[in-house]
């Protein structure tokens, strides 16, 4: 169908499959229910957001369309697409799912670290849930604000209001914040889960998120002014 961006729809599906299947094999205690429920909330939101957008627009995401132009056509395009888009995303999906697997499959063998015992474990779990929910809500609001703007925007106009007044990518910051909460849920059982948050944040900041979005506007005076005064990631007050 000449649309590699369909892979983004199945990104959320993959996490829900991993969370659901690992939960089925878990002891189904509170941490397992919490992390699985949060991942399903996040997955349903992102799948519906991207899925409905694709149904409405019927076109390939500009980031993937740019790769299509650069890679040309023929066997090379299909091989590189398989390796760089689909297979790489599968590997990243499993790496980022590390905290989910730790909590659902290995938390029984790895009892909480002593520093998280004596009632602190429950407090830390509540704190982690709040972080994840705040990130999810921020991501949802940012996406809704952008979607509303796109319906009425003039050609070439840049969205610089509401949450986007304080961050050029508040939706990406919300995404990073959500996965920080998920990682913190697994922290009492293993520090390995933190690799998930580092990987997703690195990808958003330096690979598939910010760079691919901002390269489309590079050099435009209005964009450069917006870029000068607005934080790239963490929401903060605009510079004068």
């Amino acid at each position: 169908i000449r649309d590699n961006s369909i892979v983004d729809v199945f990104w959320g599906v993959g996490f829900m499959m991993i969370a659901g299947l690992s939960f089925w094999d878990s002891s189904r205690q509170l941490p397992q229910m919490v992390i699985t429920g949060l991942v399903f909330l996040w997955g349903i939101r992102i799948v519906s957001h991207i899925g409905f957008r694709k149904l409405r627009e019927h076109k390939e995401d500009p980031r993937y369309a740019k790769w299509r132009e650069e890679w040309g056509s023929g066997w090379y395009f299909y091989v590189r697409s398989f390796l760089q888009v689909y297979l790489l995303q599968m590997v990243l999906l499993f790496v980022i799912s590390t905290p989910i697997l730790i909590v659902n499959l290995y938390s029984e063998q790895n009892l909480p670290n002593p520093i998280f015992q004596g009632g602190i474990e429950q407090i830390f779990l509540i704190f982690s849930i709040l972080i994840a929910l705040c990130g999810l809500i921020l991501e949802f609001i940012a996406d809704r604000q952008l979607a509303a703007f796109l319906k009425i925007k003039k050609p070439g106009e840049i969205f610089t209001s509401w949450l986007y007044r304080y961050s050029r990518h508040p939706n990406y910051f919300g995404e990073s914040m959500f996965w920080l909460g998920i990682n913190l849920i697994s922290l009492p059982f293993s520090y390995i889960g933190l690799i998930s948050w580092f990987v997703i944040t690195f990808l958003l900041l330096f690979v598939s998120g910010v760079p691919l979005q901002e390269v489309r506007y590079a050099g435009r005076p209005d964009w450069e002014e917006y870029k000068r005064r607005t934080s790239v990631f963490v929401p903060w007050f605009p510079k004068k």
Side-chain angles (χ1 to χ4, degrees):
I1 62 174
R2 298 183 63 81
D3 185 354
N4 278 338
S5 60
I6 59 169
V7 73
D8 289 342
V9 179
F10 294 98
W11 175 249
V13 174
F15 283 100
M16 288 192 288
M17 289 177 64
I18 288 175
L21 290 170
S22 59
F23 178 75
W24 186 261
D25 267 349
S26 74
S27 59
R28 304 179 194 178
Q29 300 299 315
L30 182 60
Q32 288 88 3
M33 291 188 285
V34 165
I35 201 167
T36 302
L38 286 171
V39 171
F40 265 78
L41 276 177
W42 170 86
I44 291 170
R45 192 208 76 83
I46 197 168
V47 169
S48 59
H49 173 70
I50 298 175
F52 285 131
R53 185 178 65 193
K54 291 205 67 60
L55 289 173
R56 183 173 62 251
E57 296 178 356
H58 298 289
K59 65 180 181 179
E60 190 172 38
D61 185 289
R63 295 170 295 173
Y64 295 94
K66 186 174 185 297
W67 283 349
R68 186 178 296 278
E69 293 177 3
E70 294 173 353
W71 299 347
S73 58
W75 67 270
Y76 176 78
F77 172 80
Y78 292 105
V79 170
R80 186 162 181 180
S81 292
F82 175 72
L83 295 175
Q84 186 169 328
V85 178
Y86 297 92
L87 199 63
L88 177 61
Q89 188 164 112
M90 182 196 73
V91 173
L92 292 172
L93 191 151
F94 276 103
V95 171
I96 297 169
S97 293
T98 302
I100 305 169
L101 297 173
I102 286 173
V103 173
N104 281 352
L105 298 181
Y106 301 108
S107 58
E108 294 300 313
Q109 296 93 321
N110 299 285
L111 296 177
N113 188 307
I115 65 173
F116 291 101
Q117 294 180 3
I120 297 179
E121 182 185 356
Q122 287 76 18
I123 297 174
F124 191 77
L125 179 61
I126 294 171
F127 173 75
S128 304
I129 294 170
L130 290 175
I131 293 290
L133 286 177
C134 286
L136 189 61
I137 292 169
L138 177 63
E139 189 176 9
F140 172 78
I141 293 174
D143 280 340
R144 295 309 303 164
Q145 288 178 349
L146 181 59
F149 166 75
L150 292 175
K151 291 180 180 178
I152 60 172
K153 67 168 289 192
K154 300 174 183 177
E157 188 178 5
I158 297 172
F159 188 37
T160 61
S161 303
W162 299 98
L163 287 175
Y164 289 82
R165 182 172 183 265
Y166 304 98
S167 169
R168 302 202 298 271
H169 303 279
N171 52 340
Y172 290 158
F173 177 75
E175 176 83 349
S176 174
M177 192 174 177
F178 171 81
W179 284 104
L180 176 61
I182 294 297
N183 280 236
L184 291 177
I185 294 173
S186 73
L187 191 60
F189 307 104
S190 173
Y191 298 116
I192 298 175
L194 286 174
I195 190 176
S196 170
W197 179 69
F198 284 112
V199 168
I200 192 71
T201 303
F202 177 82
L203 291 173
L204 290 171
L205 279 172
F206 303 110
V207 183
S208 61
V210 172
L212 291 183
Q213 289 287 355
E214 297 201 345
V215 72
R216 293 184 290 168
Y217 303 105
R220 285 178 44 173
D222 55 347
W223 170 258
E224 296 300 328
E225 173 58 22
Y226 173 60
K227 185 177 178 180
R228 182 194 65 78
R229 69 174 187 266
T230 310
S231 169
V232 62
F233 195 63
V234 180
W236 193 248
F237 296 103
K239 297 177 183 177
K240 293 183 179 179

